[in-house]
Amino acid sequence: MRIALLADIHANLEALEACLAHAAAQRVERLVFLGDLVGYGANPVEVTMRVQELMECDAVALRGNHDEAALTGPRNFSRMAAIAIQWTATQLTPAARGFLAGLPMSHEEEDRLYVHSEGSDPEGWIYVTDAAVARVSLEATQARLTFCGHTHSPALFGLTATEKLVAHRPTPDLMLPLLQPRRWLAVMGSVGQPRDGNPAACYGLLDTDTSECGWMRVPYDIATAAQKIRAAGLPEFLAERLFTGT
């Protein structure tokens, strides 16, 4: 089975639709949304309802910290993030709020764990920024493969049979083997707000038959997404950063 892993859409409808079209061309059979459907961008309702529609076709969707903050208020957010999520909360319809409230924190199937932040404390919103944090996550779960988002920057960590942890920086559009007996934690980057210096939308492609994973980069209409942010009266910085991927 080929599975698309989409994290941190952040209400960027243009990036989401571009990734969905790209995934369809890759013959993807399943969609997994790794949280943060909303926040920062200008289309929180449209993105939320699009994901809900796809869940009717067997997609999986999880809750991210911005999804939760849209319902309960920002905690430990930067000023820009807080402004955006407070605006988002005013835009959400009752149906969108109900959908976000019902999303689970994690989902397990076969040898895979899907979570927004990491596996040791999904509700703690911990960022996997280095090998030490990755090890804590991997050692906290029995899953062979953990897939997450949250950091907006692609990364891959492997724990060997001798307990050595190896970090990799994925190459765009290159499928990497997730070999046994290693256990793996893959950070999938961001669909709607990449921060690794590449402004193209990023999503993960997992082939369970070959046990390979790739980080797909997809150009999208950044100008339209940015103009919507400006038209909504959100901070200019949130529009500008889309062009630089930072």
Side-chain angles (χ1 to χ4, degrees):
M1 178 182 289
R2 292 167 75 83
I3 302 172
L5 304 152
L6 303 101
D8 298 283
I9 299 167
H10 284 299
N12 187 333
L13 186 62
E14 286 70 30
L16 172 60
E17 293 295 355
C19 286
L20 291 175
H22 188 278
Q26 307 306 309
R27 306 184 311 281
V28 160
E29 302 161 81
R30 188 100 186 270
L31 299 169
V32 177
F33 296 95
L34 296 170
D36 276 4
L37 306 183
V38 304
Y40 296 123
N43 286 117
V45 173
E46 293 85 351
V47 166
T48 300
M49 294 297 96
R50 182 75 165 106
V51 172
Q52 184 176 26
E53 171 190 310
L54 292 166
M55 286 183 69
E56 296 173 1
C57 302
D58 200 36
V60 171
L62 306 177
R63 188 187 312 180
N65 58 311
H66 284 253
D67 305 321
E68 183 168 283
L71 304 175
T72 63
R75 297 183 181 89
N76 300 317
F77 273 33
S78 69
R79 187 175 70 87
M80 294 293 183
I83 291 171
I85 208 65
Q86 288 163 349
W87 175 86
T88 296
T90 69
Q91 303 300 304
L92 292 177
T93 62
R97 294 180 67 86
F99 175 70
L100 292 177
L103 294 176
M105 301 297 297
S106 62
H107 178 79
E108 291 189 61
E109 57 186 25
E110 298 180 2
D111 62 348
R112 304 183 295 278
L113 169 66
Y114 304 125
V115 64
H116 178 64
S117 56
E118 52 82 50
S120 73
D121 182 13
E123 296 185 36
W125 310 123
I126 298 167
Y127 291 89
V128 180
T129 56
D130 56 40
V133 180
R135 180 184 291 276
V136 171
S137 178
L138 285 165
E139 292 179 346
T141 172
Q142 296 300 308
R144 188 177 80 84
L145 306 174
T146 298
F147 298 96
C148 66
H150 199 39
T151 70
H152 293 222
S153 186
L156 178 64
F157 301 92
L159 187 63
T160 71
T162 59
E163 300 300 311
K164 180 180 180 181
L165 197 136
V166 185
H168 304 270
R169 184 175 178 85
T171 300
D173 304 319
L174 177 67
M175 299 295 286
L176 298 176
L178 304 180
L179 301 176
Q180 298 196 44
R182 290 191 182 188
R183 298 173 64 225
W184 299 89
L185 187 154
V187 186
M188 303 318 308
S190 172
V191 170
Q193 196 186 94
R195 294 181 188 166
D196 62 340
N198 182 347
C202 183
Y203 79 94
L205 179 62
L206 173 67
D207 190 319
T208 62
D209 295 330
T210 62
S211 194
E212 294 180 315
C213 185
W215 283 252
M216 304 293 107
R217 302 312 291 247
V218 184
Y220 73 95
D221 186 354
I222 295 175
T224 294
Q227 181 54 38
K228 287 181 178 180
I229 289 172
R230 296 184 180 108
L234 291 165
E236 173 65 20
F237 172 72
L238 298 180
E240 292 177 353
R241 75 187 311 175
L242 296 181
F243 292 95
T244 59
T246 56

